Amino acid sequence: GALIDRLRGEVSGGLDEFITKRLACDRSECPEADEDLAAEQAETLAGTDDVGEVVELLGSASVAQIAAIKTAYEEANDGSLAAALQDKFSGWTEKALCALLEDPIDHYC
């Protein structure tokens, strides 16, 4: 819509993709995580620096699924998912992606 078009004129790159994904409101709200899927998603995140792929994966995952992805990532890799995102991305894109890793209540309070 008009809001998304206006935002695209104001931001670019990874932040554009992040904002567009968030405004689409297609995030899962499932209260339970799929541990097997989380392991696959963690492997995908470890192997990519494509912001679109990361935004799609984290932007559509529920809070519970993101927590499971974080755990699976840390079990399979040296270091945290947040540290990996900080290494791969920068600026507002990095801040936005890392914010998704936090519990919404903790992040906003």
Side-chain angles (χ1 to χ4, degrees):
L3 176 60
I4 291 174
D5 292 339
R6 175 156 178 138
L7 284 170
R8 283 188 175 146
E10 299 294 325
V11 298
S12 62
L15 188 58
D16 172 39
E17 292 184 52
F18 177 86
I19 291 172
T20 302
K21 179 70 176 172
R22 302 307 298 153
L23 289 175
C25 298
D26 63 354
R27 180 178 188 171
S28 171
E29 295 302 327
C30 182
E32 296 178 17
D34 179 331
E35 303 295 331
D36 293 331
L37 178 60
E40 292 173 23
Q41 292 169 316
E43 185 177 332
T44 297
L45 291 171
T48 188
D49 61 356
D50 180 316
V51 70
E53 189 171 14
V54 174
V55 166
E56 180 63 33
L57 194 151
L58 292 177
S60 61
S62 68
V63 172
Q65 189 66 25
I66 288 175
I69 293 167
K70 286 172 38 180
T71 299
Y73 187 94
E74 291 173 5
E75 289 174 355
N77 299 280
D78 293 328
S80 70
L81 180 53
L85 293 175
Q86 290 167 348
D87 287 344
K88 293 178 182 186
F89 305 106
S90 62
W92 287 108
T93 301
E94 174 254 313
K95 288 175 179 33
L97 291 171
C98 286
L100 286 178
L101 301 181
E102 298 180 34
D103 182 277
I105 302 281
D106 293 339
H107 179 75
Y108 292 112
C109 296

